[in-house]
Amino acid sequence: MMSQKMQDAINDQINAEFWSAYLYLSMAMKYEDEGLSGIANWFKIQFKEEQDHAMIFINYLIQRDGRVLLKPIEAVDTDWESPLEAFKATLAHERKVTSMIRNLYALAEEENDYATRDRLAWFITEQVEEEETVKNLITKFKLVGTDGTGILMLDTELGTRTYTTPAPLATNA
Ligand code: MG
């Protein structure tokens, strides 16, 4: 049986994943409004992935006979100066999530909860990929600066992103 402390921490993480989803949907809506549908597409997929992350934790708590408790989702920003600023905010947020996952992992180790630690290992790898992807996009947006043609090119590139179900949900592992 999972400890109450571990359950509470995972419930907090579920809330954080839904908050992330809401943040990225807000970014998607900002760029829909600006006619940058490729950037909006990228953030909409990000929105789906964050909901998937929440579901992975939800499924895991259920599997371990834990109680899922959904809490209110705090408000998110609705405006960013430029796509570059939105991606910088994304990176800052993902870094925060990385440290939250690291704290959960440390708690699982402290409690000798190896099942939870193993589930979290997937998230540790996922966060490395998230940060790398966003860092690369920041580099590109910095390169084009305020050049409209450059931004449109990147918008087209981000429009090609497609959604794939994360492994833990695809296999129901
Ligand atoms: Mg996430």
Side-chain angles (χ1 to χ4, degrees), residues 138-158:
I138 287 174
T139 303
K140 289 181 180 181
F141 276 98
K142 274 186 181 163
L143 274 171
V144 300
T146 53
D147 175 62
T149 311
I151 290 174
L152 283 177
M153 275 176 63
L154 288 178
D155 185 63
T156 303
E157 183 185 324
L158 295 186

Side-chain angles (χ1 to χ4, degrees), residues 72-107:
I73 300 165
E74 296 284 326
V76 292
D77 285 343
T78 53
D79 204 17
W80 295 269
E81 280 286 309
S82 62
L84 173 62
E85 289 307 313
F87 281 103
K88 279 184 180 172
T90 299
L91 181 60
H93 178 62
E94 287 303 327
R95 283 180 171 155
K96 200 176 131 195
V97 172
T98 298
S99 82
M100 291 178 78
I101 299 284
R102 203 185 299 131
N103 289 343
L104 279 176
Y105 194 99
L107 178 63

